[in-house]
Amino acid sequence: MDRLSLTFSALADPTRRAILARLATGAASVNEIAAPFAMSLPAISKHLKVLERAQLIARSKEAQWRPCELKAEPLREADAWIEQYRQMWEERFDRLDAYLMELQAKSIAAKAAPVKTTKTKKKKS
Amino acid sequence: MDRLSLTFSALADPTRRAILARLATGAASVNEIAAPFAMSLPAISKHLKVLERAQLIARSKEAQWRPCELKAEPLREADAWIEQYRQMWEERFDRLDAYLMELQAKSIAAKAAPVKTTKTKKKKS
DNA sequence: AACGTATTAAACCAGTTGGTTAAATACAAA
DNA sequence: TTTGTATTTAACCAACTGGTTTAATACGTT
């Protein structure tokens, strides 16, 4: 499977996303990772294997522990893919912006109270 | 299934990502969408249903055609999730930056040629 | 050597996925 | 009303997923 599909399908599970969130706060052993979940250890072990295959985590050895560490690099590619569409989901806000600006112009012309505009973050134009 | 999982798993297939890319250039009928793929029409129809359930596309009716239109909104949530990790995948570049800056400082001190620094895009700090 | 803890492997299961082909439906045009 | 075109549904299939329980493995401690 291609890297991007591998990344997205690894992210398509709430348990795995929660594991990544946990690992964002620092490396952890399998038991530590498993603790918050109402799920058997082998199930967690399988999730970790999925994350490892997607290269979202890396594992080392320390005695009988196999600590996991977050590796965010694959997310960069996923982000770049999604990024292509940012303009599209911001468009409606831009249109709303334009509409509100127009309203505002009118209200100013009519000496009425001004109208707030939505804030559209401009990133990586 | 939660919205985010729905979105990520819809994106976890190259055919579906290609369909979205096609729709980014404008609405299209099912046949038009299917044309570039070495796959039966029912297969495409199923992919479209997955995208529709994830609300990544919307469909209307026009005579016997059911044109599909891209709806990028769910990508915003996906982007926001990934966004949390941006700093982590940029860190190594920041470290590289720091290292190169240090090198440069030294080379300037030694009156040697300056060293280039990597450009790390600063988005949404 | 035996025990306890951490982790994985194996075998199993039900449900989902991604594809197929063949048949049904919806509409326009002749 | 028949025909043609666009699309979906149904039935099927193999492979994958996400979970289980039970057993194996790896290592540190006693």
Side-chain angles (χ1 to χ4, degrees), chain A residues 15-78:
Chain A
T15 303
R16 286 195 291 265
R17 289 196 304 277
I19 291 175
L20 293 179
R22 162 67 184 82
L23 292 178
T25 75
S29 74
V30 177
N31 263 307
E32 286 167 348
I33 292 167
F37 299 100
M39 196 179 298
S40 68
L41 249 120
I44 297 295
S45 194
K46 280 188 182 183
H47 281 304
L48 292 175
K49 200 182 288 182
V50 172
L51 291 170
E52 189 177 24
R53 202 161 89 91
Q55 294 173 258
L56 284 162
I57 65 170
R59 328 171 80 160
S60 38
K61 283 187 186 182
E62 253 175 63
Q64 66 269 54
W65 293 278
R66 241 130 301 183
C68 299
E69 189 192 351
L70 179 59
K71 291 286 177 189
E73 282 79 8
L75 295 181
R76 191 205 326 225
E77 202 186 341

Side-chain angles (χ1 to χ4, degrees), chain A:
Chain A
M1 192 156 48
D2 62 290
R3 277 183 57 76
L4 205 43
S5 300
L6 219 56
T7 305
F8 280 133
S9 66
L11 298 181
D13 181 287
T15 303
R16 286 195 291 265
R17 289 196 304 277
I19 291 175
L20 293 179
R22 162 67 184 82
L23 292 178
T25 75
S29 74
V30 177
N31 263 307
E32 286 167 348
I33 292 167
F37 299 100
M39 196 179 298
S40 68
L41 249 120
I44 297 295
S45 194
K46 280 188 182 183
H47 281 304
L48 292 175
K49 200 182 288 182
V50 172
L51 291 170
E52 189 177 24
R53 202 161 89 91
Q55 294 173 258
L56 284 162
I57 65 170
R59 328 171 80 160
S60 38
K61 283 187 186 182
E62 253 175 63
Q64 66 269 54
W65 293 278
R66 241 130 301 183
C68 299
E69 189 192 351
L70 179 59
K71 291 286 177 189
E73 282 79 8
L75 295 181
R76 191 205 326 225
E77 202 186 341
D79 182 67
W81 189 89
I82 290 181
E83 174 67 31
Q84 302 178 286
Y85 296 88
R86 168 162 294 128
Q87 200 194 328
M88 311 216 57
W89 78 69
E90 280 180 350
E91 247 171 29
R92 55 181 290 254
F93 291 103
D94 289 346
R95 274 201 290 272
L96 180 56
D97 250 16
Y99 174 65
L100 291 177
M101 297 273 274
E102 199 184 326
L103 267 192
Q104 188 169 25
K106 278 183 193 160
S107 76
I108 285 167
K111 296 192 174 180
V115 176
K116 269 195 204 155
T117 314
T118 59
K119 291 174 296 183
T120 308
K121 283 171 255 170
K122 255 285 167 327
K123 299 196 258 184
K124 200 187 194 180
S125 56

